[in-house]
Amino acid sequence: MSGSHRFLMRMRGLLRKEALQIRRDPSSIALAMVLPIVLLFLFGYGVSLDAENVPIAVVADDRGEAARELAARFEGSRYFQVTHLNTMGEAIRWLEHGEVDGIVQVQSDFTSRLRGRGLARIQLIVDGIDANRARLIQGYTRGVLQKWIEVNTVQGEAVAAPAVSVTQRIWFNASAQSRNFLIPGLVTLIMTLTGILLTALVVAREWERGTMEALMVTPLRRIDFLMGKIVPYFVLGMLGMGLTVTAAVTLFKVPLNGSLAVLILMSALFMLASLGLGLLISSAIRVQFVAAQLSIVTGFLPALFLSGLLFDLESTPLPIQMVSRVVPARYFVDISHTLFMAGDIWPVLLPDALALAAMAALFFALAFRKTTKRLE
């Protein structure tokens, strides 16, 4: 028998063994087949770097015909979802509460300056927390303005581009640095890794090592068992959060405009929700490898792609937005961006905090119930 023939026999046996192993382990098939399809659909249909239907407020202090036409031009753009407001004070409140991403103010003397060949002014105020999105809004605004000038020129009205001046202001991130947007979001990703990935292994590890049966015969109550699994990782996660925030503020000079106490409180809620999800996975799965895979699919990947950390969720299809509502990281990304860039804006913080608290209670209740069944 030649050497090549023996090699082929060894390979045939080894490949047959691996094929049987894959067939007996459905998680490998799911990882190889289902995950690529999910990512393909997510990137193909759900994720977009474009910003469409951007909510903006238009405040027309001038009631003249030219001002009304310009306001209508914003309303007809597919990039904007326009809300007409009467005063700048009202528009600023909307911007601070996150209900709009920008304000377009047509100055009160807009029409008269155009007729007098003066410099008509428009003020644009943009939420700069996401610097890239702010730049897109600025570009879209200039596009709408240019289109309005072209239409008026075709109609025989002499409106030259230099006759209209747009005064632009970026709020919450005046320097428009993307680092100020990414690093607060990165805190979310780091806490997700600690909270879900590590906790997902703790109970499965007991089963694999055979120590669960020994624990079951001890006087430990179910609540004692769960608390013993949670507290060390809660402390570890909060220490990681503190280290990340310290590095963000001191090393990367990211401004923290909100209260540190509020940030710690909100971080604790998010950490509890992440620990609850990880503990639920660990209570349901007895194999560490499978628990780790499930924690990546249900925790890390949604935190990366469906939290608003990398992509603007408001520009994604409605089904993607609805799915993102059950991802805890989505709420904490919103919280961290608000606290770092804007401050303690409670109309934004409170709904997100309540959502995280509800998720933490739900995950712990399910984990408690699942653990009860296994210990009985």
Side-chain angles (χ1 to χ4, degrees):
M1 183 179 294
S2 64
S4 60
H5 186 67
R6 288 196 296 270
F7 171 74
L8 290 176
M9 287 185 63
R10 290 196 301 270
M11 287 304 298
R12 186 178 63 180
L14 184 60
L15 291 175
R16 184 169 180 271
K17 174 257 182 190
E18 292 299 327
L20 290 173
Q21 182 66 34
I22 291 174
R23 194 176 67 179
R24 291 168 180 169
D25 184 7
S27 62
S28 300
I29 299 175
L31 186 65
M33 304 300 293
V34 177
L35 187 59
I37 293 174
V38 170
L39 291 177
L40 185 64
F41 274 86
L42 185 62
F43 276 89
Y45 296 104
V47 174
S48 172
L49 297 178
D50 302 325
E52 295 186 0
N53 296 319
V54 177
I56 63 168
V58 173
V59 181
D61 293 336
D62 185 355
R63 303 297 180 183
E65 182 179 357
R68 291 199 305 271
E69 288 180 356
L70 181 57
R73 183 62 59 181
F74 278 96
E75 199 163 0
S77 172
R78 68 184 177 90
Y79 296 112
F80 294 118
Q81 185 177 351
V82 175
T83 300
H84 293 278
L85 299 176
N86 295 321
T87 65
M88 277 300 291
E90 188 179 6
I92 289 172
R93 282 195 298 275
W94 280 51
L95 183 63
E96 289 176 342
H97 294 175
E99 297 178 44
V100 294
D101 292 337
I103 302 172
V104 176
Q105 182 190 23
V106 182
Q107 304 280 337
S108 59
D109 55 354
F110 182 80
T111 303
S112 61
R113 281 179 173 269
L114 278 181
R115 289 174 179 171
R117 305 299 181 188
L119 189 62
R121 297 182 186 277
I122 299 170
Q123 180 177 220
L124 172 65
I125 301 176
V126 183
D127 182 347
I129 290 180
D130 185 345
N132 292 329
R133 183 177 175 85
R135 294 190 189 99
L136 286 176
I137 295 174
Q138 290 175 322
Y140 293 159
T141 302
R142 285 194 292 270
V144 170
L145 184 59
Q146 183 62 36
K147 187 67 176 177
W148 175 78
I149 291 173
E150 291 175 2
V151 170
N152 280 273
T153 302
V154 170
Q155 291 175 350
E157 299 181 14
V159 179
V164 179
S165 171
V166 179
T167 304
Q168 301 183 12
R169 298 169 59 192
I170 300 179
W171 279 24
F172 310 131
N173 185 9
S175 58
Q177 292 186 0
S178 58
R179 174 193 297 169
N180 295 342
F181 173 78
L182 290 175
I183 290 182
L186 193 60
V187 178
T188 307
L189 207 58
I190 293 171
M191 294 181 68
T192 299
L193 286 171
T194 308
I196 297 179
L197 294 185
L198 295 183
T199 316
L201 305 178
V202 293
V203 180
R205 187 185 302 127
E206 301 285 357
W207 286 109
E208 280 196 354
R209 292 179 178 175
T211 54
M212 179 59 81
E213 290 80 0
L215 288 173
M216 291 170 65
V217 298
T218 64
L220 276 176
R221 298 173 303 169
R222 288 163 290 170
I223 188 65
D224 300 333
F225 177 77
L226 292 178
M227 290 296 293
K229 296 295 182 185
I230 291 170
V231 171
Y233 293 98
F234 178 82
V235 175
L236 192 62
M238 294 302 290
L239 288 176
M241 185 277 295
L243 184 64
T244 308
V245 170
T246 302
V249 174
T250 60
L251 187 61
F252 296 103
K253 308 300 181 186
V254 178
L256 176 58
N257 294 311
S259 166
L260 181 60
V262 176
L263 178 60
I264 293 173
L265 175 64
M266 298 295 171
S267 301
L269 287 176
F270 175 63
M271 181 53 66
L272 288 175
S274 299
L275 290 171
L277 178 57
L279 198 60
L280 175 61
I281 294 172
S282 191
S283 300
I285 306 296
R286 296 189 178 188
V287 181
Q288 289 190 71
F289 177 69
V290 178
Q293 288 181 328
L294 194 57
S295 65
I296 291 174
V297 173
T298 60
F300 180 73
L301 292 180
L304 186 61
F305 296 117
L306 296 178
S307 65
L309 174 62
L310 298 179
F311 310 104
D312 176 31
L313 292 175
E314 299 299 329
S315 299
T316 59
L318 183 60
I320 297 295
Q321 295 184 35
M322 294 176 66
V323 170
S324 70
R325 294 288 178 187
V326 299
V327 177
R330 173 191 174 127
Y331 301 98
F332 191 66
V333 165
D334 197 23
I335 287 172
S336 59
H337 283 155
T338 302
L339 285 173
F340 270 92
M341 307 306 299
D344 299 339
I345 310 295
W346 285 105
V348 177
L349 298 177
L350 194 57
D352 292 336
L354 292 176
L356 288 177
M359 286 185 175
L362 176 63
F363 291 145
F364 279 118
L366 292 175
F368 184 80
R369 183 177 180 183
K370 196 69 179 176
T371 303
T372 300
K373 289 182 177 180
R374 296 296 178 93
L375 292 176
E376 284 176 352

